[in-house]
Amino acid sequence: SQTIHQWPATLVQPVGSPLSLECTVEGTSNPNLYWYRQAAGRGLQLLFYSVGIGQISSEVPQNLSASRPQDRQFILSSKKLLLSDSGFYLCAWSAAEEGPGRRAFFGQGTRLTVV
Amino acid sequence: GNSVTQMEGPVTLSEEAFLTINCTYTATGYPSLFWYVQYPGEGLQLLLKATKADDKGSNKGFEATYRKETTSFHLEKGSVQVSDSAVYFCALTNTGNQFYFGTGTSLTVIP
């Protein structure tokens, strides 16, 4: 069966420090991968998605970047965190070959607090 | 383009009350529609889905019917429980690789 792992679960970082959040998927090949941010009391904002190794689409200009060094690994990074980067970050995957009815599977999320 | 609009929350209900959370969408062609649920401190889980017009998705007592004529996918449950307290997201996917989510509706069920 497929599983998605996202870590760390919580993170407190000072302003100006770097960030690296990692997400890995097991039990499937060539998944579509997604990073979302959920600010307090708000909905999901798509940050990045990837349809293959090295292929990253950015949805909003911001202080963050994403990389996909391996087929089932998706990393969210920042060189210098801002207070506004605080939020709940969710990684997700979907099976590219399933067509329009495919579902998204979510990790457990990372609660990032920038202080 | 593609977008989802769902009713603002929060919603507070007494146990065994009837629940409706409204969701409407904008999309070209024939999108698939979803309801996801998020329990506190967790990621999202798929609750139900419908992939074509007039389909009814159902799970755990929740239901939603894909209404193309009104571009809606309202979530309903006849009798809510305390354990249903969570945030509910309506979503769609269309051609392409993206999922489009509504802003979420927080539900609190009180005993």
Side-chain angles (χ1 to χ4, degrees):
Chain A
S1 64
Q2 302 92 354
T3 56
I4 178 169
H5 302 281
Q6 183 182 346
W7 68 93
T10 60
L11 190 60
V12 179
Q13 292 284 100
V15 168
S17 65
L19 172 73
S20 180
L21 302 181
E22 189 162 344
C23 174
T24 60
V25 180
E26 297 177 357
T28 188
S29 297
N30 195 34
N32 292 335
L33 296 171
Y34 308 84
W35 278 112
Y36 290 89
R37 177 169 59 199
Q38 185 178 24
R42 300 178 66 179
L44 293 172
Q45 179 186 32
L46 178 63
L47 301 176
F48 302 95
Y49 71 95
S50 171
V51 299
I53 295 175
Q55 301 179 59
I56 308 294
S57 296
S58 174
E59 291 301 298
V60 291
Q62 57 203 329
N63 187 39
L64 301 169
S65 62
S67 62
R68 184 171 178 173
Q70 301 180 46
D71 181 44
R72 290 169 290 174
Q73 183 185 28
F74 205 26
I75 298 171
L76 182 69
S77 303
S78 174
K79 292 182 179 178
K80 289 186 178 182
L81 283 168
L82 306 173
L83 286 175
S84 58
D85 292 324
S86 294
F88 192 53
Y89 289 82
L90 289 160
C91 181
W93 74 273
S94 70
E97 69 276 7
E98 285 184 0
R102 66 194 181 284
R103 55 174 289 187
F105 297 83
F106 285 83
Q108 291 298 295
T110 297
R111 173 72 60 194
L112 171 65
T113 304
V114 182
V115 297
Chain B
N2 299 296
S3 67
V4 175
T5 302
Q6 64 182 101
M7 64 184 286
E8 295 283 336
V11 174
T12 302
L13 294 174
S14 298
E15 203 164 24
E16 299 184 2
F18 184 84
L19 168 71
T20 299
I21 300 178
N22 290 336
C23 171
T24 57
Y25 68 90
T26 300
T28 55
Y30 303 94
S32 295
L33 303 174
F34 306 82
W35 277 101
Y36 284 82
V37 58
Q38 182 183 33
Y39 298 103
E42 298 184 7
L44 278 68
Q45 304 172 26
L46 179 68
L47 181 59
L48 53 86
K49 73 174 186 179
T51 57
K52 60 182 187 295
D54 300 324
D55 268 3
K56 177 184 284 187
S58 62
N59 186 25
K60 299 181 181 179
F62 291 89
E63 294 183 341
T65 301
Y66 188 142
R67 301 288 189 196
K68 193 164 179 65
E69 63 275 14
T70 54
T71 62
S72 65
F73 193 54
H74 305 322
L75 183 68
E76 297 182 337
K77 186 175 185 181
S79 176
V80 294
Q81 305 300 312
V82 172
S83 58
D84 294 327
S85 298
V87 180
Y88 293 82
F89 291 89
C90 186
L92 73 82
T93 185
N94 209 337
T95 57
N97 297 297
Q98 295 188 41
F99 292 83
Y100 300 86
F101 288 87
T103 53
T105 301
S106 175
L107 169 67
T108 301
V109 180
I110 54 177

